[in-house]
Each structure stands twice: as structure tokens, then as C-alpha cells.
Amino acid sequence: MGERVLMKGNEAIAQAAISAGCRHFFGYPITPQTEVAAYMSKMMPKVGGVYLQGESEVASINMVLGAAAAGVRVMTSTSSPGISLMSEGISYIAGSDVPCVIVNVQRGGPGLGGIQPSQSDYFQATRSTGHGDFHLIVFAPSTIQETVDLVNKAFDIGDKYRMPVMILSDGMLGQMMEPVVLPEETNTAKDKPWAACGHQGKRKHNVINSLYIDPNELERLVRERFEKYKTIQATEQMAEEYMTEDADIIVVAYGASSRVSRSAVDMARKQGIKAGLIRPITLWPYPVDTIKKVAKTAKVFLSVEMSMGQMVDDVRLAVNGAVPVEFYGRTGGIIPTPKEVYDQIVRLNGGVQ
Amino acid sequence: MAVKGQRPHALTDVPFHYCPGCTHGIVHRLVAEVIDELGCEGKTVGVASVGCSVFTYNYFNCDMVQAPHGRAPAVATGVKRARPDNVVFTYQGDGDLAAIGAGETVHAAARGENIVAIFINNAIYGMTGGQMAPTTLPGQVTQTTPYGRDVKTAGNPIRVCEMLSSLDGVALAQRVTVDCVKNVKQAKAAIKKAFQYQMEGRGYCIIEVVSTCPTNWGLAPQDAVKWLRENMLPYYPLGVYKDIGEAKE
Ligand SMILES: Cc1ncc(C[n+]2csc(CCOP(=O)(O)OP(=O)(O)O)c2C)c(N)n1
Ligand code: SF4
């Protein structure tokens, strides 16, 4: 284990990537993720890596595609409007079955929106970022330590399944500081016999491609990919449960809003209200198993988000009508206070006894 | 028995899908011959673009990556930065390189990215059935300029080599064509120089090949060559627009 240091969320993302063996970073400046790029531009030359500022997010994600196709660990980082521009490239990356890590430090939208923290890109992240039938694996950390751990895991899981992986952060997690223990760098060079890096006269030529003119072939490949997705859904769900065993009221929240919700649950417990929290860590695959299990004993669910209600759809799908699912959210860059969420819990409880 | 001509090793045995009289096939062959002559097939990575030449990934024997429309220079940048020892080239049409990918082209060139762009200028969008390209000539009739390209409303054509030659990152910008044996030889020499410059790490090289699209020009192959000579070459003069010169020992 490495030493314990105090780090800003965005810098921790960058350092965690370097520790995971990432030596290639391509990106375009945007608030509130700029520290990721700044850190990379400072550190990459020191570790023999590549930092390159692309001329746009469109170019940057395609540089990621090229580097991923060539078989190296590669990352890009941006914020909401940048993801919109990267969507085309992300679709090609998914369709070409190459791994990479994409960081979205979310800000308020739509349009230019604002630069304050938000969770309004949930649909974009989980309902396929770009055209076509595909998924990203999406991790939603809620502390800086967890950010570091998940960035590390993102590279491994991406290589394992040959898939793009998204770290869905937000302006609050990106900007705040917490102590973290950075992992030791291990040998992360993975053998990638499929990569386009020159056949050296030793094998047939490799082709990294997403074009299939024959619809039967395209359908077969998409179906194969969905078989892989099924395995991921069965084995890679992650969620944290907090005081859920005896809880009647279950708050579901991820990332920044889960921190607020945890405080609200504590406040409710002090008043004798049986509240609990489910915190999804993977947003895709969504932790349906945890939600289904808890829905057997809980009376009501409350999805708390920094959006107008996006993840609530997944909560409803998982609960599948077993109990009511309610929603509370703030948007535009506003973080709900613990008191606001607590008031919602009290309302669902029919007051304080 | 002496073998007079054979398929270059750098080409697979997959038959080309190109129309009769299309110059894509000739240019493929020239690129493959250069790869053979330089003995670099094993370390070459080609980047196919979106257009009639999208299937180049089936035709070249080296490793290949297929890029989104216009993004080949960015994809090639990613490959080259990840694997600096690889020889990386893009193969792009005029719509790909000079319209949707103009930004990626200009910035890859400005950075002096060590890649070669093989640029097929046929003054039209071939794959999608003959719409106006950024290189469509003034007055030229296409599916989307049915009354002839009116530069007042549809804008002016782009002379890519001239435009890029002002950028410091460009090592070689040369316009060639493949309408006759002499020009084919010149085109091959230019492509070879571009690959050599890359292997010496000298910067971005672009070889623009003024090409035919008989199908979408609505001309027989012979007439297409004539049209190219009479209309394309005066507007897009052949020549070297930038060459930083042979490396000094
Ligand atoms: C984002 C996107 N927009 C549009 C298209 C449709 N499209 C395919 S090929 C092409 C034009 C290609 O023309 P050019 O680059 O000149 O190559 P050519 O076919 O003439 O060789 C277009 C517009 C696409 N594939 N992707
Ligand atoms: S449509 Fe034009 S560019 Fe495409 S293969 Fe046919 S002749 Fe060549």
C-alpha cells in the first residue's frame, strides 16, 4: 500500500490512472475537470507517458480510439458538453471492442448549462452515449478514495471485457479534497493479441473496425456483445447498503447526492425513523439485485438525484411495482442539503412520531 | 520464367470493389508497392476513413483501424503516439479530409504529427452517390448542386495542399495524379518520400492524388480521365507545395 496523502478529486483521478499503468491521455479543457488534464500534463512527461491536448473533444476521443486500438491503456477526461461531442467516438470504441477509460466530471445542463455539480448525465451515461445498441460500464464513486479505487478497477475491467468504462463523477467530487491511499503501481501491461500495432510478419493483419455491411453479421456481433453484457450484469453489480436491514424508507442515491443522503438517513435515525440508503456504485450494470432484495422488506423507495429524475427510472424497473418509488431532486448545479432530503424522509414516514 | 508483375505483398488477395475506371485501385497498389519496397509492412498501421475507400482495411495486409468519418488524422495520432515505432498512414477522400475532418486534418498537420495522409481528391462524394464535396469545382454539377456549384451560395473549393503548406508542422505536401505512366511513377515517388520522411520522424506528410470518379461524374472511364485533365488539373495544379528537403546526414 502507498502512503496516505491529501488530494483533490480530479487530481486523484489522474494519479490513479497513472498508478494503473495509463501512459496516454488525450483531452480538451473544460470546467470542472481541468485539474485532471493539468495534472496529466505535469506528470506524464515524468513517467515517460503521453499527454496531448486535442483540438476538440471530437479529436480527443478519436485519439483515444487510436491508442486503444494500438493496445495501450488510455484515458480521457471531460465534463458534460464534452461527452456530447465524444458520443460519436464512444460509439465507435464500443463497436470496435477496444477498452479505454472516460471520465465525466458532470456539470449542469442542458446546453452550456453551468459549471456547478450535477448528475443530469445519468441517461447519457447509462442509456448508451452515442448511436447504436451498446453499453458502457459506468462507475459512480462517492469519495476520493473510492474514486482512486474505481479508476484502477476501470482499467482492469475494461481490458477484461474489451469495453469503454466511464467514471461518472461530478463537480463536487472533482473539486473537494480528502485523504487517500494511492495504490502501488503494479505491472499492468496486458497482452492484447488483437491490437493494431504492426504484425511484425508474425501473424495475419489485425483489423479494428465497427463496419459490417451484412446485417446478419452485424446482428450476430451485437448479440455476441450483449451476451457479454449479460455476464457483466450477472457478475459486476456493485452497491453499498447503509442501515437497510430494518429500514422502511430506502433512499437510493449515488455520487455527491449519496453523501447528502447518508447524512439525512442519520438525521432520520436519530428521530427513530427507520431509514436506510442504497448507494449504487455501478450505474451500469445497475445493482438491481440489491434493490430487489431490499424491496422485499422496505415500504417505500426515494431516489435522490441532482437532476430532474433520471436514475429513478432504474429504481422503478428494479423495484418492479413491489412498493412505491418516489423522487426528490435539485438541478442546475444545486446540491440538495441533508435537511431537504431529511424532510422528504419525514414526509414519507408521515411525520415524526 | 520471369515474373514481370505480381500483386504487392502488402495487398491481400481480396478483390477490390471499386467501379471500372476508378483510380482508388491504382493508388492502393502504389501505397502497397511502397510498403513492400521499404519493407515496413510488419510495423505499418493504416487508418481507413469513411468513403468509397472504407474497405481498405480488407485490402492492405498491414494492421488496420477504421476511423469515424473525418477523424482518421486523430485516430492515426492516437496510434502513432501509442506506438511511435509504427509507420502510420491514413487513406482519406475529400469529403472526409477537407469537410467533416478539416479540423482534425489542420491540427494533425500543425502539430507535425508523424503520419502520412493519402488524400484522394475526386471532387465529389463517391460513396453516398455523388453529392458536392469541398473540392467540387465551380459550376460542377453534382446531386446536391444540380444547377452547377454556385460559389456565391455553395462556397468555394478548397485547395488542400496550398492551404496546409503554410503550416510549420508539414514536412511534405505534394499534389499528384495517376492519369498516365509518367504521373503514376511520380505519384509513387511522392508516396515513397512521404513514408521515408515519416520513418525519419520529420512531420506530417500529405500526398493529394487528383482522382477520377467516373460513376458519379456520369462519364465513361476514358472520358473521366479527359475531364480530369481538362477541368481538375487547371484548378488543382500538380506540384510540390512544401518539402522540407532530404534529411541532412
Ligand atoms: C458522421 C457521418 N456523416 C455522414 C456520413 C455519410 N457518408 C459516408 S461516405 C460520405 C462521403 C465520402 O466522400 P469522400 O470522403 O469524398 O470519399 P469518396 O467516397 O469520394 O471516396 C458521407 C457523407 C457518415 N458515414 N458519417
Ligand atoms: S463511386 Fe466513384 S470513387 Fe467510389 S468506387 Fe466508384 S468510381 Fe470510385
Side-chain angles (χ1 to χ4, degrees):
Chain A
M1 267 290 148
E3 53 178 331
R4 201 171 146 90
V5 288
L6 190 66
M7 275 192 120
K8 201 174 196 181
N10 281 339
E11 293 184 342
I13 290 174
Q15 182 53 51
I18 291 172
S19 302
C22 171
R23 289 292 178 275
H24 296 82
F25 180 91
F26 305 94
Y28 186 81
I30 184 170
T31 308
Q33 70 73 52
T34 308
E35 295 84 0
V36 183
Y39 192 92
M40 285 298 197
S41 67
K42 196 168 66 187
M43 293 306 291
M44 279 301 193
K46 293 186 185 169
V47 295
V50 172
Y51 165 83
L52 180 59
Q53 181 168 319
E55 62 271 25
S56 67
E57 288 86 351
V58 175
S60 301
I61 193 69
N62 282 288
M63 291 170 187
V64 170
L65 167 56
V72 300
R73 287 197 158 180
V74 56
M75 182 168 95
T76 186
S77 154
T78 185
S79 179
S80 311
I83 293 288
S84 294
L85 273 186
M86 288 188 182
S87 297
E88 178 199 42
I90 294 172
S91 170
Y92 276 73
I93 286 168
S96 305
D97 299 306
V98 294
C100 68
V101 175
I102 300 152
V103 177
N104 181 3
V105 184
Q106 294 172 93
R107 58 188 252 179
L112 201 47
I115 57 169
Q116 298 303 321
S118 169
Q119 296 180 326
S120 50
D121 300 344
Y122 181 92
F123 281 153
Q124 193 189 35
T126 61
R127 300 295 190 269
S128 101
T129 318
H131 60 283
D133 272 329
F134 77 92
H135 284 290
L136 308 172
I137 294 171
V138 184
F139 287 138
S142 74
T143 64
I144 311 298
Q145 183 65 55
E146 193 176 40
T147 306
V148 165
D149 298 342
L150 289 176
V151 167
N152 210 285
K153 191 178 163 81
F155 281 101
D156 286 339
I157 206 169
D159 280 349
K160 181 175 174 191
Y161 293 108
R162 286 180 63 179
M163 275 179 73
V165 183
M166 180 177 279
I167 303 289
L168 194 66
S169 181
D170 60 65
M172 176 181 141
L173 290 167
Q175 298 300 323
M176 71 186 204
M177 291 182 93
E178 275 179 355
V180 284
V181 179
L182 292 165
E184 297 288 355
E185 188 169 340
T186 48
N187 181 15
T188 49
K190 293 271 183 303
D191 194 26
K192 296 179 177 174
W194 47 263
C197 53
H199 59 55
Q200 312 299 342
K202 291 185 184 138
R203 54 163 169 77
K204 271 192 66 182
H205 73 148
N206 282 340
V207 176
I208 304 292
N209 173 42
S210 64
L211 172 67
Y212 297 92
I213 285 289
D214 173 5
N216 291 304
E217 199 186 356
L218 182 55
E219 186 188 48
R220 184 180 60 74
L221 276 162
V222 173
R223 281 188 185 281
E224 250 173 44
R225 212 169 280 131
F226 272 73
E227 283 304 312
K228 179 169 77 180
Y229 294 163
K230 248 192 227 167
T231 308
I232 295 169
Q233 283 173 311
T235 57
E236 306 287 357
Q237 294 178 27
M238 288 167 71
E240 185 197 1
E241 290 180 56
Y242 180 65
M243 299 203 183
T244 51
E245 286 105 86
D246 65 337
D248 295 329
I249 301 165
I250 298 292
V251 181
V252 187
Y254 70 96
S257 57
S258 73
R259 296 171 69 107
V260 176
S261 299
R262 188 186 301 263
S263 306
V265 165
D266 288 342
M267 287 162 75
R269 284 279 172 178
K270 278 205 188 102
Q271 300 302 322
I273 300 173
K274 287 185 177 169
L277 172 74
I278 295 177
R279 180 175 71 83
I281 299 169
T282 50
L283 299 182
W284 198 93
Y286 198 68
V288 284
D289 294 349
T290 304
I291 297 206
K292 274 187 183 149
K293 182 196 76 186
V294 174
K296 287 189 187 133
T297 52
K299 296 206 174 101
V300 62
F301 278 68
L302 172 70
S303 186
V304 175
E305 305 172 42
M306 282 141 63
S307 77
M308 291 304 288
Q310 300 191 12
M311 181 183 71
V312 64
D313 285 10
D314 280 334
V315 181
R316 288 205 174 104
L317 284 169
V319 168
N320 199 19
V323 290
V325 176
E326 302 240 350
F327 169 74
Y328 181 74
R330 296 297 303 269
T331 194
I334 294 175
I335 304 168
T337 62
K339 174 72 167 52
E340 279 174 80
V341 179
Y342 165 77
D343 287 347
Q344 294 296 318
I345 295 172
V346 170
R347 178 179 65 81
L348 293 175
N349 193 52
V352 183
Q353 266 78 46
Chain B
M1 194 178 69
V3 180
K4 279 218 171 134
Q6 61 183 2
R7 214 175 166 77
H9 190 272
L11 284 182
T12 62
D13 52 16
V14 178
F16 292 152
H17 69 283
Y18 301 113
C19 309
C22 174
T23 43
H24 268 308
I26 301 174
V27 181
H28 280 26
R29 189 178 170 109
L30 296 183
V31 172
E33 285 180 0
V34 165
I35 292 174
D36 278 10
E37 284 169 23
L38 295 174
C40 61
E41 186 192 302
K43 58 176 185 171
T44 298
V45 179
V47 179
S49 68
V50 178
C52 276
S53 62
V54 65
F55 293 118
T56 47
Y57 58 74
N58 285 330
Y59 303 148
F60 285 110
N61 241 332
C62 55
D63 282 359
M64 296 292 295
V65 184
Q66 199 280 308
H69 196 18
R71 317 297 174 221
V75 173
T77 297
V79 175
K80 185 73 182 182
R81 295 291 183 120
R83 307 278 183 191
D85 292 338
N86 280 165
V87 175
V88 181
F89 75 94
T90 67
Y91 190 103
Q92 302 172 263
D94 41 49
D96 193 88
L97 183 138
I100 193 167
E104 284 77 5
T105 296
V106 167
H107 285 273
R111 285 192 303 268
E113 216 55 72
N114 271 305
I115 57 175
V116 172
I118 306 294
F119 169 37
I120 305 299
N121 175 2
N122 58 12
I124 204 142
Y125 282 12
M127 191 192 214
T128 40
Q131 298 82 21
M132 184 187 78
T135 47
T136 291
L137 296 172
Q140 187 182 336
V141 172
T142 71
Q143 194 186 52
T144 51
T145 52
Y147 311 111
R149 181 175 187 164
D150 178 356
V151 296
K152 284 206 199 79
T153 54
N156 295 283
I158 297 175
R159 293 187 180 93
V160 171
C161 277
E162 287 86 330
M163 178 179 77
L164 294 182
S165 63
S166 76
L167 298 172
D168 288 343
V170 176
L172 178 66
Q174 185 169 346
R175 184 178 294 124
V176 297
T177 191
V178 290
D179 65 327
C180 63
V181 176
K182 177 179 138 268
N183 282 339
V184 167
K185 281 191 175 151
Q186 211 165 52
K188 182 173 162 185
I191 293 169
K192 191 164 183 178
K193 188 192 252 184
F195 272 73
Q196 278 166 330
Y197 274 18
Q198 177 181 164
M199 289 160 106
E200 294 161 5
R202 312 206 60 207
Y204 180 87
C205 296
I206 179 167
I207 305 301
E208 172 174 347
V209 188
V210 181
S211 301
T212 58
C213 177
T215 302
N216 289 301
W217 291 355
L219 296 172
Q222 275 313 313
D223 296 335
V225 173
K226 191 161 173 274
W227 193 88
L228 176 147
R229 288 181 184 141
E230 289 172 2
N231 299 280
M232 297 272 287
L233 296 186
Y235 200 92
Y236 298 112
L238 304 184
V240 178
Y241 288 87
K242 180 156 186 200
D243 184 351
I244 58 170
E246 305 291 335
K248 306 248 177 352
E249 290 306 313

